[in-house]
Amino acid sequence: MSEAASERESMDFDVVIVGAGPCGLAAACRLLLLARDAGTELNLCVVEKGSEIGAHILSGAILDPKAITELFPDWQERGAPISTQVIADDIFFLAGENRAIRVPNMLVPIPARNEGNYIISLGELCRWLGEQAESLGANIFAGFAAAEVLYDDGRVVGVATGDMGRASNGEPKPGFQAGYEIRAPYTIFAEGCHGSLGKELMNVYSLRDDCDPQHYGLGVKEIWTIDPDRHREGLVVHSFGWPLKGTEGGGFLYHAADNQVYAGFIVALNYRNPYLSPFEEFQRWKQHPRIRHYLEGGQRISYGARAVNKGGLQSLPKLVFPGGVMAGCEAGFLNGAKIKGSHTAMKTGMLAAEAIFEALQAGNEAPAVLENFETLVRESWVYEELHAARNFGPAQKKFGTMAGAAFVWLDQNIFRGRLPFTLHSRQPDYATLLPADKAEPIQYPRPDGKISFDRLSSVFLSSTNHEEDQPCHLVLKDADIPLQTNLPLYDEPAQRFCPAGVYEIVEEAGGQKRFQINAQNCVHCKTCDIKDPSQNINWVVPEGGGGPNYSGM
């Protein structure tokens, strides 16, 4: 046992849940409701690295209410922040920087239509779910980052939170506080997309041996308050095409309540051009007349970014291992054809709760590996949804934007996801970049400060903050690779794929270059860990409470 581990205090629970997102909180609520209905008590803990519930939550978001209705049939009476029902879908193909073609509804894939769905702030929904969980008896530890998986004889027995008060050299500072060991017979890992502990578990238990690589997109989002005359509450606008060239992705504009719109752009991280910047593509997209029309004269009030899973069914890992399960976006349950993952995250969290509660009721006969969880998932509507949508992502990559869209329409609207074959995409996103000398440089326009902006002013709106004197949470496996490998081969793409200006190539006196990491800017999107072509960046959790402090995202 290390010296740091020997200093840690330990707390015991019946269940530990890592992550207070929609999956983890739905799991907590479902477990406690099951215990209440059975007349038993359950000691449950939710560990959340954000300073408060919702601080690190970012999504579009349009909610399919299926899962929340199963969890709380009376969610309206309980005051859930779900009120803006979608009234119309507008989908545009942007054929150039000034041209837009409206896509007729009959040509829109059925899963992408939003009748009966709601425009929400997922952060606000998570805050509400946290209130429900606490009222049922959950212990929620916000501001504590789960930094280490605890094992005992090959079984997961909980997690340890990170130390607080270490200097950048790793030495304890005055006021140092060792992390806590939080132990339980079962742990639900619900960290969200590309969770740091989830990465470890997949390696330790070989959970990805029988599936395709996970695939990702980077979503960049802003909240705007716009002119009431340009606002239409409940309107959903999606676009594809310009400004992307040969890359999958598109934009969204959701008209929420109170004259707010959620503007965002998603770029698939399997893009090939190392000069591409998802952040700059988003800024360019806002300048299209079809989009600028809504934003002009408005005020940008918030900014954030987050990676999203898009691999679908073929990229799901094994979900169970001794002492724990993986659910929600940690595993990759987003439905790409619907462009939604909150409902599947909540449902898989609820199914994990059911499997764990059944095991706890078995007492000494409880299994170490909850194979029943995978059975419950396979028998659920989540699996049915993902199976029907399984060819969506691979088709986009295989056939390109236009031909891929035609294939998806046939697959979803004519065959209803029942085509007798399954496409695969087996090349990891980090392996797709062309060498810089084989790619076309992209010249992005300067921001105008009205519709388009720079990275640093954007990060300011995310309220991101980290304790400066702490060990860097962006760990290079080899400090020489950025300058010796990535710079000559790919013009070091980290300086462009990061939406927060974390990575820079700094030229010093004498022409020497230095790779600089501005870790304080990090918005925890995980893109660097995913897209770095050398797989040299390991994103680990910083001190608890650090990172963005999103409001309304």
Side-chain angles (χ1 to χ4, degrees):
M1 179 182 293
S2 69
E3 181 180 345
S6 66
E7 297 176 6
R8 297 191 300 222
E9 296 181 21
S10 180
M11 295 179 283
D12 294 321
F13 295 90
D14 296 314
V15 183
V16 171
I17 299 172
V18 182
C23 175
L25 293 170
C29 290
R30 182 67 177 142
L31 270 164
L32 293 166
L33 287 168
L34 287 169
R36 185 190 67 184
D37 293 346
T40 62
E41 291 188 0
L42 199 61
N43 194 12
L44 177 153
C45 169
V46 181
V47 185
E48 166 56 36
K49 67 183 174 68
S51 60
E52 61 180 5
I53 294 177
H56 289 178
I57 298 294
L58 184 148
S59 181
I62 295 179
L63 178 72
D64 180 334
K66 186 185 303 185
I68 189 77
T69 300
E70 290 184 11
L71 181 61
F72 292 115
D74 59 344
W75 56 263
Q76 289 175 306
E77 291 78 8
R78 287 173 175 258
I82 306 171
S83 59
T84 303
Q85 192 158 10
V86 175
I87 61 167
D89 273 307
D90 283 349
I91 298 182
F92 294 94
F93 170 60
L94 303 186
E97 58 183 321
N98 293 301
R99 189 174 173 219
I101 302 171
R102 186 188 297 270
V103 178
N105 190 60
M106 64 177 292
L107 297 182
V108 176
I110 291 171
R113 299 173 186 174
N114 284 300
E115 294 90 346
N117 295 330
Y118 293 81
I119 298 171
I120 68 161
S121 159
L122 188 60
E124 293 301 323
L125 179 61
C126 286
R127 288 184 177 91
W128 179 84
L129 284 169
E131 293 169 0
Q132 308 310 303
E134 286 186 310
S135 70
L136 290 165
N139 300 282
I140 297 181
F141 297 163
F144 289 86
E148 179 186 342
V149 181
L150 301 176
Y151 303 93
D152 186 2
D153 196 23
R155 175 172 178 157
V156 172
V157 293
V159 296
T161 63
D163 295 339
M164 303 287 284
R166 288 194 181 276
S168 58
N169 63 2
E171 292 298 315
K173 297 185 293 187
F176 168 81
Q177 182 178 345
Y180 291 88
E181 293 191 352
I182 305 176
R183 294 174 170 266
Y186 296 107
T187 303
I188 299 174
F189 290 86
E191 299 172 282
C193 175
H194 207 68
S196 53
L197 299 186
K199 289 187 303 179
E200 175 184 329
L201 292 164
M202 290 183 197
N203 290 329
V204 169
Y205 294 109
S206 303
L207 303 180
R208 302 207 63 87
D209 281 2
D210 299 319
C211 64
D212 289 355
Q214 185 57 265
H215 298 286
Y216 302 90
L218 171 60
V220 187
K221 178 183 175 183
E222 295 172 348
I223 300 178
W224 286 66
T225 300
I226 66 169
D227 183 338
D229 292 337
R230 302 177 186 228
H231 185 263
R232 186 181 172 198
E233 186 171 326
L235 174 64
V236 168
V237 179
H238 282 112
S239 79
F240 63 102
W242 187 89
L244 295 176
K245 183 180 179 181
T247 298
E248 178 194 344
F252 62 84
L253 202 71
Y254 301 156
H255 288 240
D258 302 322
N259 297 319
Q260 286 192 347
V261 294
Y262 304 153
F265 200 79
I266 297 176
V267 176
L269 289 180
N270 62 8
Y271 67 81
R272 304 185 70 204
N273 190 334
Y275 295 108
L276 187 146
S277 163
F279 174 87
E280 301 289 357
E281 296 291 340
F282 174 44
Q283 301 306 318
R284 260 207 308 185
W285 170 81
K286 289 186 293 176
Q287 296 286 8
H288 193 283
R290 176 57 63 178
I291 307 304
R292 186 183 180 105
H293 160 75
Y294 293 110
L295 303 179
E296 204 150 30
Q299 181 182 4
R300 187 178 70 145
I301 61 175
S302 192
Y303 168 84
R306 188 70 171 92
V308 295
N309 299 296
K310 56 186 297 295
L313 187 73
Q314 296 90 309
S315 296
L316 286 180
K318 187 172 177 60
L319 305 174
V320 295
F321 41 89
V325 303
M326 196 174 293
C329 290
E330 179 92 79
F333 278 103
L334 182 137
N335 182 337
K338 288 176 75 82
I339 328 176
K340 295 173 187 66
S342 298
H343 67 303
T344 50
M346 290 182 65
K347 179 61 174 178
T348 54
M350 292 155 62
L351 294 175
E354 292 167 17
I356 288 175
F357 187 74
E358 180 182 334
L360 291 174
Q361 293 295 94
N364 293 333
E365 302 298 318
V369 180
L370 297 174
E371 300 287 358
N372 187 41
F373 174 50
E374 292 206 326
T375 301
L376 290 173
V377 169
R378 282 187 166 270
E379 293 175 350
S380 73
W381 53 257
V382 172
Y383 189 88
E384 183 180 337
E385 271 194 24
L386 264 62
H387 186 267
R390 69 194 182 282
N391 287 326
F392 176 83
Q396 298 289 309
K397 182 176 182 182
K398 186 178 182 68
F399 303 124
T401 299
M402 297 305 292
F407 174 90
V408 168
W409 185 85
L410 285 170
D411 179 34
Q412 296 298 314
N413 292 29
I414 303 300
F415 295 98
R416 303 301 174 97
R418 298 190 185 97
L419 284 170
F421 57 83
T422 298
L423 300 175
H424 291 271
S425 181
R426 295 193 169 102
Q427 185 182 32
D429 292 345
Y430 66 81
T432 61
L433 285 179
L434 293 170
D437 61 3
K438 305 291 187 186
E440 180 182 356
I442 303 173
Q443 298 299 321
Y444 291 107
R446 294 176 63 84
D448 62 15
K450 298 177 181 178
I451 300 294
S452 56
F453 303 90
D454 61 27
R455 280 177 173 80
L456 293 184
S457 67
S458 299
V459 173
F460 176 78
L461 289 180
S462 70
S463 300
T464 294
N465 184 57
H466 295 88
E467 168 61 43
E468 189 166 346
D469 186 17
Q470 66 171 298
C472 182
H473 69 282
L474 303 162
V475 182
L476 300 183
K477 300 172 187 176
D478 183 338
D480 293 330
I481 280 179
L483 295 181
Q484 294 186 4
T485 302
N486 286 355
L487 186 61
L489 276 179
Y490 305 107
D491 196 39
E492 184 46 271
Q495 56 188 325
R496 288 176 294 278
F497 61 55
C498 174
V502 169
Y503 302 99
E504 291 184 275
I505 300 293
V506 177
E507 189 163 328
E508 299 181 322
Q512 291 290 327
K513 293 182 178 178
R514 176 170 53 86
F515 186 64
Q516 179 166 300
I517 300 177
N518 305 307
Q520 293 83 3
N521 289 2
C522 179
V523 295
H524 298 197
C525 73
K526 313 290 181 69
T527 303
C528 55
D529 196 310
I530 296 165
K531 188 60 178 174
D532 178 64
S534 301
Q535 288 295 275
N536 187 49
I537 301 172
N538 183 30
W539 194 101
V540 299
V541 291
E543 284 190 0
N549 280 281
Y550 294 135
S551 175
M553 283 289 195

